[in-house]
Amino acid sequence: MSTFLKQFFTWWNGNQLNFRYHLWRHAEKVGEDEFGNVYYQGGKDSEGRPHRYVVYPDISEPSLIPPGWHGWMHHKTDIAPPDSSYEAHEWQKPHRPNLTGTPSAYHPKGSLYNTGERPRVTGDYDAWSPGE
C-alpha cells in the first residue's frame, strides 16, 4: 500500500492528510526530537492555551515522546526542548521501549514466567487450602 493511501485512510500510520493540512494552515513548527517526531503549536484550546500537536514519523506511538517534549505537550512547561533555556532534570531518563509481551519483559519474583524457585512464604502469611 502506498504512503499516500496509508495516510489518507489510516490514523496509525503517521497522520492523516487532513490533519497535515490543518497543521500547514493553522500551526507553526516548534521542533523535532531524536525519534523523528515533529512538534507543532497553533490555535487555542477551550482554556485559552495553545494547541500542541505531534506528528509521528511512522506508526503513532505516544510512548516515543521524550520526557522534555512530554512536559511541553501537556502544558507542564512552556519551554520546548529546542529552546536554549531548556534544561533536562536529572531525574529525566532516556526513552526505553515498552517490553511487555516480549522475552525481555520484567518478571517479578514469584511470577510464573520468572526462572528460579518461588520465594518461601514468611510467618505473616498463611496460604489458603481448599480442604481447610
Side-chain angles (χ1 to χ4, degrees), residues 5-128:
L5 291 176
K6 283 182 183 178
Q7 290 179 353
F8 192 78
F9 290 110
T10 63
W11 58 266
W12 58 88
N13 289 301
N15 295 97
Q16 290 182 318
L17 295 177
N18 62 345
F19 180 71
R20 289 181 186 254
Y21 176 75
H22 171 77
L23 289 178
W24 174 69
R25 297 244 354 240
H26 304 288
E28 64 182 50
K29 182 178 176 181
V30 175
E32 192 170 331
D33 66 23
E34 64 268 20
F35 301 112
N37 300 324
V38 183
Y39 300 89
Y40 295 90
Q41 179 171 281
K44 299 280 184 194
D45 65 11
S46 61
E47 297 177 18
R49 301 176 305 184
H51 279 291
R52 293 177 176 169
Y53 309 94
V54 60
V55 175
Y56 303 100
D58 291 319
I59 293 177
S60 296
E61 181 54 64
S63 71
L64 283 178
I65 296 177
W69 281 109
H70 182 272
W72 179 82
M73 286 287 298
H74 294 277
H75 297 278
K76 303 296 181 200
T77 180
D78 287 331
I79 302 171
D83 192 316
S84 61
S85 61
Y86 172 78
E87 280 187 38
H89 298 281
E90 63 184 40
W91 46 263
Q92 290 177 319
K93 305 292 183 201
H95 174 267
R96 287 184 13 209
N98 183 349
L99 300 174
T100 302
T102 69
S104 300
Y106 171 71
H107 301 295
K109 285 184 175 181
S111 168
L112 296 175
Y113 296 107
N114 195 351
T115 57
E117 190 174 322
R118 185 174 178 168
R120 303 301 308 160
V121 176
T122 61
D124 63 342
Y125 174 78
D126 292 323
W128 175 79

